[in-house]
Amino acid sequence: MDKFRYLPMTEKDQHEMLETIGVSHLEELFEDIPNEIRFQGDLNIEKALDETSLVKEMTRLAEKNRHLKEYPSFLGAGVYEHYIPSVVNHMLLRSEFYTAYTPYQPEISQGELQGIFEFQTMICELTGMEIANSSMYDGPTALAEAAMMSAGQTKKKTILVSKTVHPEARQVLKTSAKGQNLTVIEIDEKDGVTDLDHLKSEYNEDTASVILQYPNFFGQIEDLEAAEKIAHQGKSLFIVSSNPVSLGVLQPPGEYGADVVVGDAQPFGIPTQLGGPHCGYFAVTKKLMRKVPGRLVGQTTDDHGQRGFVLTLQAREQHIRRDKATSNICSNQALNALGASIAMSALGKNGLREMAEQNVQKAHYARKQLEKNGVKVVTEKPFFNEFVVRLPKPVKEVNEKLMAEGIIGGFDLSRFYENKENDMLIAVTELRTKEEIDQFASVLGGVQ
Amino acid sequence: MNEKNQALIFELSKEGRTGHSLPELDIEEMDMDELIPSQHRRKEEPELPEVSELQIVRHYTALSRRNHGVDSGFYPLGSCTMKYNPKINEDMARLSGFAHLHPYQEESSIQGALELMYKLQRSLEEITGMDQVTLQPAAGAHGEWTGLMLIRAYHEANGDHQRTKVIVPDSAHGTNPASAVVAGFESVTVKSNERGLVDLDHLREIAGEDTAALMLTNPNTLGLFEEQIVEMAEIIHEAGGKLYYDGANSNAILGITRPGDMGFDVVHLNLHKTFTTPHGGGGPGSGPVGVKQDLVPYLPAPLIIQDKDKYRFDYHIPESIGRVKPFYGNFGINVRAYTYIRTMGPAGLRKVSEYAVLNANYMLRRLEPYFDAPYTQHCKHEFVLSGKRQKKLGVRTLDMAKRLLDFGYHPPTIYFPINVEECLMVEPTETESKETLDEFCDAMIQIAKEAEESPEVVQEAPHHTVIDRLDETTAARKPVLRYKKEA
């Protein structure tokens, strides 16, 4: 192939342009690149494909995968399959949104800016916080940024994080902490929730922040009221990571005095996509407004008093502050933030509550059915849409059996927890039907 | 774009309206109080809007019409590579076999995804001349930080704890010094010379035992190729430091030269620039990082490897810096980039860079009689102009940028790089036709004339946008960052 549909250059164009430049060959434009580092020959990558062959090849790859629209799934563990209204994708395909850059020219970016302003508002409403930014990469990196911010704000060096926080979020946190020379101490789990006595004993004057997840990695509801009291004994920040769908039914962390609430808006209209891109959110109290990483959209007016929106408080950001910036984040997940806003608008106040309650109902129904089928349930305390069961066999083996029955099983906790060898974390959203749950329970019950 | 004020979606809300269709609850409903005790339950409902589906469609359609994207018109935003975002990329990323995979599915059930990631890793290694690529970083800045953490781990493994400084040119992207600090380094600036290139004498002066790395964009942010890159690499390597390549400007070099061959040890790419994945109004992007062999032991796990006819995750990286992102990076974006690479192939990618450079040089030569061009050599894929001449007439670069909005263009990057007075930075990309470039140049030339003959037309611009210049000072002094329902 030597013709490319994205390249409009013709031979005539090229000739005329070279003449204007005053060179006779295209090659002359590259004479400043020393010969010794010029690449010779063709790159050793696969040859170009025409559009039809390309679709065929990509379809071949896609069809090698088993996906969630094909098989009922009980996987969660930080990434959830929920109802996605068709309207979300249609609006995201408005190319004025997806082919735009960051809205640095507000006069021609009012759509994006207003959409993000609405996103910020929705996140504030859900979390019970006063300020939310325009998005982060994902929940775990948002959590790590929150920890970094707490160290900057308090001038303290130790982060206390519960072992009931998503293991991959803790891994990202540890990598980030290394960069800033901070110490991360993990607080033990007890009966599926944070061991508050351990938290108390590790807390001291060097604690920059206390981090909990709500509902936690095992689906359980942490005692934020008690944890907040411990976190706020001194000057440290109380950071809560939260699945935003659960906040349709649970008391928001803001009501418990959280200083920072982070998480991932993926459950709102964003496909699972093998783990990314999703949409981190970051919400804080008013006091921390000027410490927030990333972009913020603010409302203002033009010369005629007409309402408009701009990126604001940019003095925090890397393109202005360079090495003094509060974070190095530049690109975020704006398009997904827009997608999440559209999904939240579609759900509305009542739909959100209904969806959250259905998750609670169905997860508890599944728990009951599993118990009925003789499966040992580990989770005893209140949970949202996930709980843990203990199987007589390694989860990996059981999942193979489930796959053979056309079901994608739950998450294998032994992957991250040594003491949970045969424990499966099961997520049940509003999408699982009674029939699917019953079949799942019957297969799991049959495991000897 | 001539609509008046667009209501906020909250202002369209009316109690009792609905825009969703959740599944019916098909089990016997249990008492919520028994499932989750009331003390844990929400007392006050969040104020999400109550709107119908058509209201949502009209609202977001109206918003989209108040926004300018590449599909709306020319977008020569320097350093951002605002090229065409192919439609097929969007279609492929939405195939159910890619869009609806859970990251914790068994490897055997995601072989196609693993194959794609593996092949993308290999392609990016070949394109950059590096030994191993990780797809984990979410964006350019995230890749920078990842790369610097790798360099830090390398030095620490060698006992070189005194290497605390990262050298960054004065023309560098703001993320470079910011990433250096977040990775625990101190950022040190190396000066540019009168030709816009790194001052080698100054580099020699500041490189030493405390040097961890030099971060460099090549071509640099002025759009100029650092001709002495080989010497620079020698200086840094002799001092014991590593070379970091900021891939923001890779659109100029595909198949022409490779960072690995220039002497770089670590590279990040912005797939949302060079490899046509959309910018999305600020994201999501993807920022894969490639390294030379001696840095491979520190990469974040997992990597994707081929094992006979199967593909799998490799978590066995004992000296890894650890995770930088959950799961495996922005897979959905990586699908788009792979689709693009397969569309272009080796010959196509080389043409991309050739035409990107040709377009930029053509525009530079057409515009240099009317503006100040601080650097006279051939540029690469972008170039800078200075509005010094117009400033003397009372017309600032900001004014000219706003005037361009009236012509239906997104203006070039302005006031960056910071070492060029009244800077305008133009990057046309290879996907624009000569006609578009000519029309834009004509508009620029007209604005230069207006600056001389009727400066107020430029100073008071824009005249034809949905909104006039906004009061950014008040926005920052009295921030209103969310809507609140009136009581």
Side-chain angles (χ1 to χ4, degrees), chain B residues 434-445:
Chain B
K434 178 169 179 293
E435 296 88 307
T436 301
L437 307 186
D438 281 331
E439 286 159 15
F440 178 81
C441 288
D442 293 344
M444 286 285 286
I445 292 164

Side-chain angles (χ1 to χ4, degrees), chain B residues 167-199:
Chain B
I167 302 171
V168 175
D170 51 11
S171 62
H173 298 117
T175 49
N176 290 182
S179 299
V181 170
V182 178
F185 294 111
E186 189 188 327
S187 145
V188 189
T189 306
V190 59
K191 286 186 286 206
S192 303
N193 62 25
E194 69 287 349
R195 295 189 65 229
L197 306 174
V198 169
D199 180 337

Side-chain angles (χ1 to χ4, degrees), chain A residues 10-261:
Chain A
T10 65
E11 286 208 14
K12 183 163 174 283
D13 292 338
Q14 187 167 332
H15 181 78
E16 288 172 9
M17 290 164 84
L18 290 172
E19 203 168 82
T20 304
I21 298 167
V23 296
S24 33
H25 296 286
L26 185 64
E27 186 54 31
E28 287 174 51
L29 301 177
F30 293 95
E31 276 174 354
D32 49 0
I33 304 180
N35 254 331
E36 56 188 304
I37 58 166
R38 286 296 296 269
F39 184 74
Q40 307 298 333
D42 281 339
L43 288 168
N44 183 22
I45 58 173
E46 293 161 293
K47 294 279 172 283
L49 292 175
D50 65 87
E51 192 163 354
T52 309
S53 310
L54 178 62
V55 171
K56 213 169 172 181
E57 168 63 5
M58 296 301 288
T59 306
R60 178 188 71 82
L61 289 170
E63 285 179 353
K64 276 175 77 179
N65 305 316
R66 292 177 169 182
H67 60 81
L68 305 180
K69 297 292 149 202
E70 201 180 4
Y71 299 95
S73 154
F74 292 85
L75 275 173
V79 179
Y80 305 93
E81 189 204 4
H82 286 284
Y83 159 60
I84 303 179
S86 286
V87 64
V88 176
N89 190 38
H90 279 271
M91 292 299 100
L92 291 186
L93 278 172
R94 295 288 303 186
S95 69
E96 298 87 344
F97 291 133
Y98 79 81
T99 71
Y101 193 70
T102 306
Y104 286 128
Q105 292 291 338
E107 295 88 347
I108 54 167
S109 311
Q110 282 303 298
E112 175 71 29
L113 287 162
Q114 183 174 333
I116 295 300
F117 181 81
E118 292 170 358
F119 172 78
Q120 291 175 179
T121 303
M122 292 180 197
I123 294 298
C124 289
E125 284 291 331
L126 283 178
T127 55
M129 303 300 282
E130 287 161 295
I131 311 285
N133 80 0
S134 64
S135 73
M136 308 294 285
Y137 305 134
D138 51 53
T141 56
L143 180 142
E145 286 270 10
M148 300 307 112
M149 183 185 80
S150 74
Q153 170 74 5
T154 61
K155 315 281 176 230
K156 299 175 191 295
K157 293 286 212 182
T158 306
I159 313 292
L160 303 183
V161 61
S162 170
K163 282 183 187 167
T164 66
V165 169
H166 197 298
E168 295 206 25
R170 283 182 281 132
Q171 289 173 354
V172 173
L173 169 65
K174 284 179 208 163
T175 311
S176 298
K178 226 184 294 170
Q180 296 285 285
N181 302 315
L182 306 179
T183 307
V184 176
I185 294 175
E186 296 194 325
I187 305 301
D188 288 339
E189 170 227 327
K190 198 178 162 195
D191 300 331
V193 291
T194 305
D195 180 347
L196 292 177
D197 291 331
H198 188 209
L199 176 62
K200 234 180 259 169
S201 71
E202 291 292 349
Y203 190 94
N204 61 38
E205 59 192 19
D206 193 45
T207 305
S209 53
V210 170
I211 308 179
L212 259 64
Q213 187 177 318
Y214 168 84
N216 70 24
F217 186 63
F218 306 113
Q220 290 190 200
I221 296 162
E222 295 275 358
D223 186 351
L224 292 190
E225 200 176 337
E228 186 268 343
K229 288 204 180 85
I230 301 168
H232 282 158
Q233 288 170 72
K235 293 213 163 107
S236 49
L237 299 187
F238 184 38
I239 300 169
V240 179
S241 167
S242 226
N243 172 353
V245 170
S246 74
L247 302 182
V249 58
L250 297 182
Q251 184 76 312
E255 294 289 322
Y256 289 113
D259 300 291
V260 191
V261 184

Side-chain angles (χ1 to χ4, degrees), chain A residues 37 39 44 60 64 66 89 98 100 125 138 175 178 181 247 274 300 304 332 353 358 361, chain B residues 23 30 42 45 47 87 94 101 105 115 126 152 256-257 281-282 321 323 325 380 468 471 482:
Chain A
I37 58 166
F39 184 74
N44 183 22
R60 178 188 71 82
K64 276 175 77 179
R66 292 177 169 182
N89 190 38
Y98 79 81
E125 284 291 331
D138 51 53
T175 311
K178 226 184 294 170
N181 302 315
L247 302 182
L274 200 67
T300 185
H304 299 99
N332 53 22
R353 193 195 51 235
Q358 279 208 24
Q361 292 280 346
Chain B
M30 292 169 266
R42 187 159 194 139
E45 290 194 327
E47 283 298 333
K87 301 302 160 195
R94 285 170 172 81
L101 300 178
Q105 281 179 236
E115 181 178 342
E126 171 69 9
R152 182 171 158 173
I256 291 167
T257 181
I321 57 166
R323 257 190 191 285
K325 191 176 186 326
K380 292 278 99 41
D468 290 341
D471 181 355
R482 55 162 300 182

